[in-house]
Amino acid sequence: GRMKLNLQPYMIQEIIGAALAHVQAGKEQRTLRTQITGALPMVMIDGALIEQVFVNLIENAYQHTARDGDILVRVEKDADRLRVAVSDNGEGLREGDENRIFEQFQKGQELRSDRSGGTGLGLAICRGIVQAHGGMIYAKNNRMLASSDGMRSGTGASFIFTLPIATSILTSQEI
C-alpha cells in the first residue's frame, strides 16, 4: 500500500538513541554498541518510522544471537547517503535467505534465544519503510569480523540500509 511520510530533518544519532532506549529491556547480557564514523549530516526522514526500522533490526539481532552475544549498530556517510548496519555474531543466515527474509511472513533460521519468533513481518516492514524513504535494505552474512569492530569471533549477519542525506534543510518559510 501507500505510506505517507512525515519528513523532518533529524540527526540519525537521535533516532538511534530513541530506538536503543526502546529495546534496552530485551538486551539481557548481550553487548550492544554503536559506532559512528565521521561527522554525519542530517537526514530528511519520518523519525518514528525509521526508529521502528532500528527497533525491528535490533530485536531481530536479539532473537538470533546468544544471550551473551554482540550486536553493533554502525553508521557512516557514503557519498550522498548514510549507510547503517546492524550486525551480530549469531549463526548468520542460511544460504539463499538473504532476499527471502524481507518477504512477508518469512522467518530466518531457528532462534538462538527463548524469545518468540514473531509473525515474520518485521523485516518486510523495514523494507517498505526504507524504500519509501528512497533507500535500500539488504542482508548478508559476515565473514570473520575484523578486530577493529571489537566484535567477538564468529560470523553472524548484517542488515544494512541506506538513507538519502537531506540536501536542503531550510524551506523558504524558514529563511
Side-chain angles (χ1 to χ4, degrees):
R2 290 209 159 118
M3 186 178 305
K4 183 168 171 72
L5 301 177
N6 178 20
L7 298 176
Q8 300 290 324
Y10 284 95
M11 296 300 296
I12 199 70
Q13 299 92 319
E14 295 175 55
I15 304 301
I16 293 170
L20 292 178
H22 184 82
V23 299
Q24 199 66 25
K27 181 181 166 202
E28 296 172 338
Q29 292 86 27
R30 292 172 187 87
T31 301
L32 177 57
R33 295 179 303 105
T34 59
Q35 182 180 49
I36 308 292
T37 303
L40 300 179
M42 296 185 95
V43 286
M44 191 68 82
I45 58 173
D46 184 314
L49 292 176
I50 296 301
E51 179 182 339
Q52 188 63 54
V53 170
F54 278 105
V55 167
N56 288 2
L57 293 178
I58 294 167
E59 286 181 345
N60 185 66
Y62 284 171
Q63 292 175 356
H64 294 283
T65 56
R67 289 178 187 264
D68 63 347
D70 292 321
I71 299 166
L72 175 66
V73 178
R74 181 181 4 211
V75 186
E76 62 189 357
K77 183 177 182 280
D78 183 19
D80 63 343
R81 302 192 171 274
L82 287 187
R83 182 175 37 231
V84 177
V86 177
S87 302
D88 63 59
N89 68 337
E91 295 296 317
L93 302 167
R94 282 186 290 213
E95 190 170 330
D97 275 358
E98 294 89 348
N99 293 317
R100 183 187 65 79
I101 58 173
F102 289 101
E103 297 171 9
Q104 290 183 8
F105 307 112
Q106 296 296 315
K107 296 181 184 180
Q109 65 191 44
E110 291 182 29
L111 304 178
R112 289 292 310 258
S113 70
D114 60 358
R115 303 175 70 116
S116 165
T119 61
L121 288 172
L123 294 176
I125 290 168
C126 290
R127 180 180 62 185
I129 291 170
V130 169
Q131 288 177 344
H133 281 82
M136 58 180 269
I137 188 169
Y138 61 97
K140 66 178 186 115
N141 278 320
N142 301 327
R143 292 186 173 43
M144 289 304 284
L145 298 170
S147 61
S148 65
D149 284 351
M151 304 274 287
R152 286 189 235 154
S153 63
T155 53
S158 289
F159 290 79
I160 299 116
F161 68 95
T162 63
L163 293 170
I165 292 171
T167 54
S168 177
I169 302 301
L170 295 177
T171 66
S172 59
Q173 296 170 340
E174 296 172 317
I175 296 178

Coordinates of all heavy atoms in Angstrom, one line a residue, residues 16-100:
I16 N 18.6 6.7 16.7 CA 19.3 5.5 17.2 C 19.1 5.5 18.8 O 18.8 4.5 19.4 CB 20.8 5.5 16.9 CG1 20.9 5.3 15.4 CG2 21.5 4.4 17.6 CD1 22.3 5.4 14.8
G17 N 19.3 6.7 19.4 CA 19.2 6.8 20.9 C 17.8 6.4 21.3 O 17.6 5.7 22.3
A18 N 16.8 6.9 20.6 CA 15.4 6.5 21.0 C 15.1 5.0 20.8 O 14.5 4.4 21.6 CB 14.4 7.4 20.1
A19 N 15.6 4.5 19.7 CA 15.4 3.0 19.4 C 16.1 2.2 20.5 O 15.6 1.2 21.0 CB 16.0 2.7 18.1
L20 N 17.4 2.6 20.9 CA 18.1 1.9 21.9 C 17.4 1.9 23.3 O 17.3 0.9 24.0 CB 19.5 2.4 22.1 CG 20.4 2.2 20.9 CD1 21.8 2.8 21.1 CD2 20.6 0.7 20.5
A21 N 16.8 3.0 23.6 CA 16.0 3.1 24.8 C 14.8 2.2 24.8 O 14.5 1.6 25.8 CB 15.6 4.6 25.1
H22 N 14.2 2.0 23.6 CA 13.1 1.2 23.5 C 13.4 -0.3 23.6 O 12.6 -1.1 24.1 CB 12.4 1.4 22.1 CG 11.2 0.7 21.8 ND1 10.0 1.1 22.3 CD2 10.9 -0.5 21.2 CE1 9.0 0.3 21.9 NE2 9.6 -0.7 21.2
V23 N 14.6 -0.7 23.1 CA 14.9 -2.2 23.1 C 15.8 -2.6 24.2 O 16.2 -3.7 24.4 CB 15.6 -2.6 21.8 CG1 14.6 -2.3 20.6 CG2 16.9 -1.8 21.6
Q24 N 16.2 -1.7 25.1 CA 17.1 -2.0 26.2 C 16.7 -3.1 27.1 O 17.5 -3.9 27.5 CB 17.4 -0.7 27.0 CG 18.6 -0.7 27.8 CD 19.9 -0.7 27.0 OE1 20.0 -0.3 25.8 NE2 21.0 -1.3 27.5
A25 N 15.4 -3.2 27.3 CA 14.9 -4.2 28.3 C 15.2 -5.6 27.8 O 15.4 -6.5 28.6 CB 13.4 -4.0 28.5
G26 N 15.2 -5.9 26.5 CA 15.5 -7.2 25.9 C 16.9 -7.5 25.7 O 17.3 -8.6 25.3
K27 N 17.8 -6.7 26.1 CA 19.2 -6.8 25.9 C 19.8 -8.0 26.6 O 20.7 -8.7 26.1 CB 19.9 -5.5 26.3 CG 21.4 -5.5 26.1 CD 22.0 -4.2 26.6 CE 23.5 -4.4 26.7 NZ 24.1 -3.4 27.5
E28 N 19.4 -8.3 27.8 CA 19.9 -9.3 28.7 C 21.4 -9.1 28.8 O 21.9 -8.0 29.1 CB 19.6 -10.7 28.2 CG 18.1 -10.9 28.2 CD 17.6 -12.2 27.6 OE1 18.3 -12.7 26.7 OE2 16.5 -12.6 27.9
Q29 N 22.3 -10.1 28.6 CA 23.7 -9.9 28.8 C 24.4 -9.5 27.4 O 25.6 -9.5 27.4 CB 24.4 -11.2 29.3 CG 24.0 -11.5 30.7 CD 22.7 -12.3 30.8 OE1 22.4 -13.1 29.9 NE2 22.0 -12.2 31.9
R30 N 23.6 -9.3 26.4 CA 24.2 -9.0 25.1 C 24.9 -7.7 25.2 O 24.5 -6.8 25.8 CB 23.2 -9.0 24.0 CG 22.6 -10.3 23.7 CD 21.4 -10.2 22.8 NE 20.7 -11.5 22.6 CZ 19.8 -11.9 23.4 NH1 19.3 -11.2 24.4 NH2 19.2 -13.1 23.2
T31 N 26.0 -7.6 24.5 CA 26.7 -6.3 24.3 C 26.1 -5.6 23.1 O 26.2 -6.1 22.0 CB 28.3 -6.5 24.1 OG1 28.8 -7.2 25.2 CG2 29.0 -5.2 24.0
L32 N 25.6 -4.4 23.3 CA 25.0 -3.6 22.3 C 25.8 -2.3 22.2 O 25.8 -1.5 23.1 CB 23.5 -3.3 22.6 CG 22.8 -2.5 21.6 CD1 22.8 -3.0 20.2 CD2 21.3 -2.3 22.1
R33 N 26.5 -2.1 21.0 CA 27.3 -0.9 20.9 C 26.9 -0.2 19.6 O 26.3 -0.7 18.7 CB 28.8 -1.3 20.8 CG 29.3 -1.9 22.0 CD 30.8 -2.3 22.0 NE 31.0 -3.3 20.9 CZ 31.6 -2.9 19.7 NH1 32.0 -1.7 19.5 NH2 31.8 -3.8 18.8
T34 N 27.3 1.1 19.6 CA 27.1 1.9 18.4 C 28.5 2.4 17.9 O 29.4 2.6 18.8 CB 26.2 3.1 18.6 OG1 26.7 3.9 19.6 CG2 24.8 2.7 19.0
Q35 N 28.6 2.6 16.6 CA 29.9 3.1 16.1 C 29.5 4.1 15.0 O 28.9 3.8 14.0 CB 30.7 2.0 15.5 CG 32.0 2.4 14.9 CD 32.8 1.2 14.3 OE1 32.2 0.4 13.6 NE2 34.0 1.1 14.7
I36 N 29.8 5.4 15.2 CA 29.6 6.4 14.3 C 30.9 6.8 13.7 O 31.8 7.2 14.4 CB 28.9 7.7 15.0 CG1 27.7 7.3 15.8 CG2 28.6 8.8 14.0 CD1 26.5 6.8 15.1
T37 N 31.0 6.8 12.4 CA 32.2 7.1 11.7 C 32.1 8.5 11.0 O 31.3 8.7 10.2 CB 32.5 6.0 10.5 OG1 32.5 4.7 11.1 CG2 33.8 6.3 9.8
G38 N 32.9 9.4 11.5 CA 33.0 10.7 11.0 C 31.8 11.6 11.4 O 30.9 11.2 12.2
A39 N 31.7 12.8 10.9 CA 30.6 13.7 11.1 C 29.5 13.3 10.2 O 29.7 13.2 9.0 CB 31.1 15.2 10.8
L40 N 28.3 13.2 10.7 CA 27.2 12.8 9.9 C 26.3 13.9 9.6 O 25.9 14.7 10.5 CB 26.4 11.7 10.6 CG 27.1 10.4 11.0 CD1 26.2 9.4 11.7 CD2 27.7 9.7 9.7
P41 N 25.9 14.1 8.4 CA 24.9 15.2 8.0 C 23.5 14.7 8.5 O 23.2 13.6 8.8 CB 25.0 15.2 6.5 CG 25.5 13.9 6.1 CD 26.3 13.4 7.2
M42 N 22.6 15.7 8.4 CA 21.2 15.4 8.7 C 20.5 14.6 7.6 O 21.0 14.7 6.5 CB 20.4 16.7 9.0 CG 20.9 17.5 10.2 SD 19.9 18.9 10.5 CE 18.8 18.2 11.7
V43 N 19.5 13.9 8.0 CA 18.7 13.2 7.0 C 17.3 13.7 7.1 O 16.8 14.1 8.2 CB 18.7 11.6 7.2 CG1 20.1 11.1 6.8 CG2 18.5 11.3 8.7
M44 N 16.6 13.7 6.0 CA 15.2 14.1 6.0 C 14.3 12.8 6.0 O 14.3 12.1 5.0 CB 14.9 14.9 4.7 CG 13.5 15.6 4.7 SD 13.4 16.9 5.9 CE 14.2 18.3 5.1
I45 N 13.8 12.5 7.2 CA 13.1 11.2 7.4 C 11.9 11.4 8.2 O 11.7 12.4 8.8 CB 14.1 10.2 8.1 CG1 14.5 10.7 9.5 CG2 15.2 9.8 7.2 CD1 15.3 9.8 10.3
D46 N 11.1 10.4 8.3 CA 10.0 10.2 9.2 C 10.6 9.5 10.4 O 10.9 8.3 10.4 CB 8.8 9.4 8.6 CG 7.6 9.3 9.5 OD1 7.8 9.1 10.7 OD2 6.5 9.5 9.0
G47 N 10.9 10.3 11.5 CA 11.6 9.8 12.6 C 11.0 8.6 13.3 O 11.7 7.6 13.6
A48 N 9.7 8.6 13.4 CA 9.0 7.4 14.1 C 9.2 6.2 13.2 O 9.4 5.1 13.8 CB 7.5 7.7 14.3
L49 N 9.1 6.3 11.9 CA 9.2 5.1 11.1 C 10.6 4.6 11.0 O 10.8 3.4 11.1 CB 8.7 5.4 9.7 CG 7.2 5.6 9.5 CD1 6.8 6.0 8.1 CD2 6.4 4.4 10.0
I50 N 11.6 5.5 11.0 CA 13.0 5.0 10.9 C 13.4 4.4 12.3 O 14.1 3.5 12.4 CB 13.9 6.1 10.5 CG1 13.6 6.5 9.0 CG2 15.4 5.7 10.6 CD1 13.8 5.3 8.0
E51 N 12.8 5.0 13.4 CA 13.1 4.4 14.7 C 12.5 3.0 14.7 O 13.2 2.1 15.3 CB 12.4 5.2 15.8 CG 12.5 4.7 17.2 CD 11.8 5.5 18.3 OE1 11.5 6.7 18.0 OE2 11.6 4.9 19.3
Q52 N 11.4 2.8 14.1 CA 10.8 1.4 14.0 C 11.7 0.5 13.3 O 11.9 -0.7 13.6 CB 9.4 1.4 13.4 CG 8.7 0.1 13.5 CD 8.5 -0.3 14.9 OE1 7.9 0.4 15.7 NE2 8.9 -1.5 15.3
V53 N 12.4 0.9 12.2 CA 13.3 0.1 11.5 C 14.5 -0.3 12.4 O 14.8 -1.5 12.5 CB 13.9 0.8 10.3 CG1 15.1 0.1 9.6 CG2 12.8 1.1 9.2
F54 N 15.0 0.6 13.2 CA 16.1 0.3 14.1 C 15.6 -0.7 15.2 O 16.3 -1.7 15.5 CB 16.6 1.5 14.8 CG 17.6 2.3 14.0 CD1 17.3 3.5 13.4 CD2 18.9 1.8 13.9 CE1 18.2 4.2 12.7 CE2 19.9 2.5 13.2 CZ 19.5 3.7 12.6
V55 N 14.4 -0.5 15.7 CA 13.9 -1.4 16.7 C 13.7 -2.8 16.2 O 14.1 -3.8 16.8 CB 12.5 -0.9 17.3 CG1 11.8 -1.9 18.1 CG2 12.7 0.4 18.1
N56 N 13.1 -2.9 15.0 CA 12.9 -4.2 14.4 C 14.2 -4.9 14.1 O 14.4 -6.1 14.4 CB 12.1 -4.1 13.0 CG 10.7 -3.8 13.2 OD1 10.2 -3.6 14.3 ND2 10.0 -3.7 12.1
L57 N 15.2 -4.2 13.6 CA 16.5 -4.9 13.3 C 17.3 -5.3 14.5 O 17.9 -6.3 14.6 CB 17.4 -3.9 12.4 CG 16.9 -3.7 11.0 CD1 17.8 -2.7 10.3 CD2 16.7 -4.9 10.2
I58 N 17.2 -4.4 15.6 CA 17.9 -4.8 16.8 C 17.2 -5.9 17.5 O 17.9 -6.9 18.0 CB 18.0 -3.6 17.8 CG1 19.0 -2.5 17.1 CG2 18.6 -4.0 19.1 CD1 18.9 -1.1 17.8
E59 N 15.9 -5.9 17.6 CA 15.2 -7.0 18.2 C 15.4 -8.3 17.4 O 15.5 -9.4 17.9 CB 13.7 -6.7 18.3 CG 13.4 -5.7 19.4 CD 11.9 -5.4 19.6 OE1 11.1 -5.7 18.7 OE2 11.6 -4.8 20.6
N60 N 15.5 -8.2 16.1 CA 15.8 -9.4 15.2 C 17.2 -9.9 15.6 O 17.4 -11.1 15.7 CB 15.8 -9.0 13.8 CG 16.0 -10.2 12.8 OD1 15.1 -11.1 12.8 ND2 17.1 -10.2 12.1
A61 N 18.2 -9.0 15.8 CA 19.5 -9.5 16.2 C 19.5 -10.1 17.6 O 20.1 -11.1 17.8 CB 20.5 -8.3 16.2
Y62 N 18.6 -9.6 18.5 CA 18.5 -10.2 19.8 C 18.0 -11.7 19.7 O 18.5 -12.6 20.4 CB 17.5 -9.5 20.7 CG 17.9 -8.2 21.3 CD1 17.0 -7.4 21.9 CD2 19.2 -7.8 21.3 CE1 17.3 -6.2 22.5 CE2 19.6 -6.6 21.9 CZ 18.6 -5.8 22.5 OH 19.0 -4.6 23.1
Q63 N 17.1 -11.9 18.8 CA 16.5 -13.2 18.6 C 17.4 -14.2 18.0 O 17.3 -15.4 18.2 CB 15.2 -13.1 17.7 CG 14.1 -12.4 18.4 CD 12.9 -12.2 17.5 OE1 12.9 -12.5 16.3 NE2 11.8 -11.6 18.0
H64 N 18.4 -13.7 17.3 CA 19.3 -14.7 16.6 C 20.7 -14.7 17.1 O 21.6 -15.2 16.4 CB 19.3 -14.3 15.1 CG 17.9 -14.6 14.5 ND1 17.5 -15.9 14.2 CD2 16.9 -13.8 14.2 CE1 16.2 -15.8 13.7 NE2 15.9 -14.5 13.7
T65 N 20.9 -14.1 18.3 CA 22.2 -14.2 18.9 C 22.1 -14.8 20.3 O 21.0 -14.7 20.9 CB 22.9 -12.9 19.1 OG1 22.1 -12.0 19.8 CG2 23.3 -12.3 17.7
A66 N 23.2 -15.4 20.8 CA 23.1 -15.9 22.1 C 23.0 -14.8 23.2 O 23.2 -13.7 22.9 CB 24.5 -16.7 22.4
R67 N 22.5 -15.2 24.3 CA 22.3 -14.2 25.4 C 23.5 -13.4 25.7 O 23.4 -12.2 26.2 CB 21.8 -14.9 26.7 CG 20.4 -15.4 26.6 CD 20.1 -16.1 27.9 NE 18.8 -16.8 27.8 CZ 17.7 -16.3 28.2 NH1 17.6 -15.1 28.7 NH2 16.6 -16.9 28.0
D68 N 24.7 -13.9 25.5 CA 25.9 -13.1 25.7 C 26.6 -12.6 24.4 O 27.7 -12.3 24.3 CB 26.9 -13.9 26.5 CG 27.4 -15.2 25.8 OD1 26.8 -15.5 24.8 OD2 28.4 -15.8 26.2
G69 N 25.8 -12.6 23.3 CA 26.2 -12.2 22.0 C 26.6 -10.7 21.9 O 26.3 -9.9 22.8
D70 N 27.1 -10.3 20.8 CA 27.5 -9.0 20.4 C 26.6 -8.4 19.3 O 26.4 -9.1 18.3 CB 28.9 -8.9 20.0 CG 29.9 -9.2 21.1 OD1 29.6 -8.8 22.3 OD2 30.9 -9.8 20.9
I71 N 26.1 -7.2 19.5 CA 25.4 -6.5 18.4 C 26.0 -5.1 18.2 O 26.3 -4.4 19.2 CB 23.9 -6.4 18.8 CG1 23.3 -7.8 18.9 CG2 23.1 -5.6 17.7 CD1 22.0 -7.9 19.6
L72 N 26.2 -4.8 17.0 CA 26.9 -3.5 16.7 C 26.0 -2.7 15.7 O 25.6 -3.3 14.7 CB 28.2 -3.7 16.1 CG 29.0 -2.5 15.6 CD1 29.3 -1.5 16.7 CD2 30.2 -2.9 14.8
V73 N 25.7 -1.5 16.0 CA 24.9 -0.6 15.1 C 26.0 0.4 14.6 O 26.6 1.2 15.4 CB 23.8 0.2 15.8 CG1 23.1 1.2 14.9 CG2 22.8 -0.8 16.4
R74 N 26.3 0.4 13.3 CA 27.3 1.2 12.7 C 26.7 2.1 11.7 O 25.9 1.7 10.9 CB 28.3 0.3 12.1 CG 29.5 1.0 11.5 CD 30.5 0.1 10.8 NE 30.0 -1.3 10.8 CZ 30.8 -2.4 10.9 NH1 32.1 -2.2 10.9 NH2 30.3 -3.6 10.9
V75 N 27.1 3.4 11.7 CA 26.6 4.4 10.8 C 27.8 5.2 10.2 O 28.7 5.6 10.9 CB 25.7 5.4 11.5 CG1 25.0 6.4 10.4 CG2 24.6 4.7 12.3
E76 N 27.7 5.4 8.9 CA 28.7 6.1 8.2 C 28.1 6.8 7.0 O 27.1 6.4 6.4 CB 29.9 5.2 7.8 CG 29.5 4.1 6.8 CD 30.6 3.1 6.5 OE1 31.7 3.3 7.1 OE2 30.3 2.2 5.8
K77 N 28.8 7.9 6.6 CA 28.4 8.6 5.4 C 29.0 7.9 4.2 O 30.2 7.5 4.2 CB 28.9 10.1 5.4 CG 28.4 10.9 4.2 CD 28.9 12.3 4.4 CE 28.4 13.2 3.3 NZ 29.2 13.1 2.1
D78 N 28.2 7.7 3.1 CA 28.7 7.1 1.9 C 28.1 7.9 0.7 O 27.0 7.7 0.4 CB 28.2 5.6 1.8 CG 28.7 4.9 0.6 OD1 29.7 5.3 0.0 OD2 28.1 3.9 0.3
A79 N 29.0 8.8 0.2 CA 28.6 9.7 -0.9 C 27.4 10.5 -0.4 O 27.5 11.3 0.5 CB 28.3 8.9 -2.2
D80 N 26.2 10.4 -1.1 CA 25.0 11.2 -0.8 C 24.0 10.4 0.1 O 22.9 10.7 0.1 CB 24.4 11.6 -2.1 CG 23.8 10.4 -2.9 OD1 24.3 9.3 -2.7 OD2 23.0 10.7 -3.8
R81 N 24.5 9.4 0.8 CA 23.7 8.6 1.7 C 24.3 8.3 3.0 O 25.6 8.4 3.1 CB 23.4 7.3 1.0 CG 22.8 7.4 -0.4 CD 22.2 6.1 -0.9 NE 21.4 6.4 -2.1 CZ 20.2 6.7 -2.1 NH1 19.5 6.7 -0.9 NH2 19.5 6.9 -3.2
L82 N 23.5 8.0 4.0 CA 24.0 7.4 5.2 C 23.8 5.9 5.0 O 22.8 5.4 4.5 CB 23.2 7.8 6.4 CG 23.4 9.2 6.9 CD1 22.7 9.4 8.2 CD2 24.9 9.6 7.1
R83 N 24.9 5.1 5.4 CA 24.8 3.7 5.4 C 24.8 3.2 6.9 O 25.6 3.6 7.7 CB 25.9 3.0 4.7 CG 25.7 1.5 4.7 CD 26.8 0.7 3.8 NE 28.1 1.3 3.9 CZ 28.8 1.6 2.9 NH1 28.4 1.4 1.7 NH2 30.1 2.1 3.0
V84 N 23.7 2.4 7.2 CA 23.6 1.9 8.6 C 23.7 0.4 8.5 O 23.1 -0.2 7.6 CB 22.2 2.3 9.1 CG1 22.0 1.7 10.5 CG2 22.0 3.8 9.1
A85 N 24.4 -0.2 9.4 CA 24.5 -1.7 9.5 C 24.2 -2.1 11.0 O 24.7 -1.5 11.9 CB 25.9 -2.1 9.1
V86 N 23.3 -3.0 11.1 CA 23.1 -3.7 12.4 C 23.6 -5.1 12.2 O 23.1 -5.9 11.5 CB 21.6 -3.7 12.8 CG1 21.3 -4.5 14.1 CG2 21.0 -2.3 12.8
S87 N 24.7 -5.4 13.0 CA 25.4 -6.6 12.8 C 25.4 -7.4 14.1 O 25.4 -6.8 15.2 CB 26.9 -6.4 12.4 OG 27.0 -5.6 11.2
D88 N 25.4 -8.7 14.0 CA 25.5 -9.6 15.2 C 26.5 -10.7 15.0 O 27.1 -10.8 13.9 CB 24.1 -10.1 15.5 CG 23.6 -11.1 14.4 OD1 24.3 -12.1 14.1 OD2 22.5 -10.8 13.9
N89 N 26.8 -11.4 16.0 CA 27.7 -12.6 15.9 C 27.0 -13.9 16.1 O 27.6 -14.8 16.7 CB 29.0 -12.4 16.8 CG 28.6 -12.5 18.2 OD1 27.5 -12.2 18.6 ND2 29.6 -12.8 19.1
G90 N 25.8 -13.9 15.7 CA 25.0 -15.2 15.8 C 25.4 -16.2 14.7 O 26.5 -16.1 14.2
E91 N 24.4 -17.0 14.4 CA 24.7 -18.1 13.4 C 24.7 -17.6 12.0 O 25.2 -18.3 11.1 CB 23.6 -19.2 13.6 CG 23.7 -19.9 14.9 CD 25.0 -20.7 15.1 OE1 25.4 -21.3 14.2 OE2 25.5 -20.6 16.2
G92 N 24.2 -16.5 11.7 CA 24.1 -16.0 10.4 C 22.9 -16.5 9.6 O 22.1 -17.1 10.2
L93 N 22.9 -16.2 8.3 CA 21.7 -16.5 7.5 C 22.0 -17.8 6.8 O 23.1 -18.1 6.4 CB 21.4 -15.4 6.5 CG 21.2 -14.0 7.1 CD1 21.2 -13.0 6.0 CD2 19.8 -14.0 7.8
R94 N 21.0 -18.6 6.5 CA 21.1 -19.8 5.7 C 21.3 -19.3 4.2 O 20.7 -18.2 3.8 CB 19.9 -20.6 5.7 CG 19.8 -21.5 7.0 CD 18.7 -22.4 6.9 NE 17.4 -21.6 7.0 CZ 16.3 -22.0 7.6 NH1 16.2 -23.2 8.1 NH2 15.3 -21.2 7.7
E95 N 22.1 -20.0 3.5 CA 22.3 -19.6 2.1 C 21.0 -19.5 1.4 O 20.1 -20.4 1.5 CB 23.2 -20.6 1.4 CG 23.7 -20.2 0.1 CD 24.8 -21.1 -0.5 OE1 25.5 -21.7 0.3 OE2 24.8 -21.2 -1.7
G96 N 20.8 -18.4 0.6 CA 19.6 -18.2 -0.1 C 18.5 -17.4 0.7 O 17.6 -16.9 0.1
D97 N 18.7 -17.2 2.0 CA 17.8 -16.4 2.8 C 17.9 -14.9 2.7 O 17.1 -14.2 3.1 CB 17.9 -16.8 4.3 CG 17.0 -18.0 4.6 OD1 16.4 -18.6 3.7 OD2 17.1 -18.5 5.8
E98 N 19.0 -14.5 2.1 CA 19.4 -13.0 2.1 C 18.2 -12.2 1.6 O 18.0 -11.1 2.1 CB 20.7 -12.8 1.4 CG 21.9 -13.3 2.0 CD 22.2 -14.8 1.5 OE1 21.3 -15.4 0.9 OE2 23.3 -15.3 1.8
N99 N 17.6 -12.6 0.5 CA 16.5 -11.8 0.0 C 15.1 -12.3 0.5 O 14.2 -11.5 0.7 CB 16.5 -11.9 -1.6 CG 17.7 -11.2 -2.1 OD1 18.1 -10.1 -1.7 ND2 18.3 -11.8 -3.1
R100 N 14.9 -13.6 0.7 CA 13.7 -14.2 1.1 C 13.2 -13.6 2.4 O 12.0 -13.4 2.6 CB 13.8 -15.7 1.1 CG 12.5 -16.4 1.5 CD 12.7 -17.9 1.7 NE 13.5 -18.2 2.8 CZ 13.0 -18.1 4.1 NH1 11.8 -17.8 4.4 NH2 13.9 -18.4 5.1

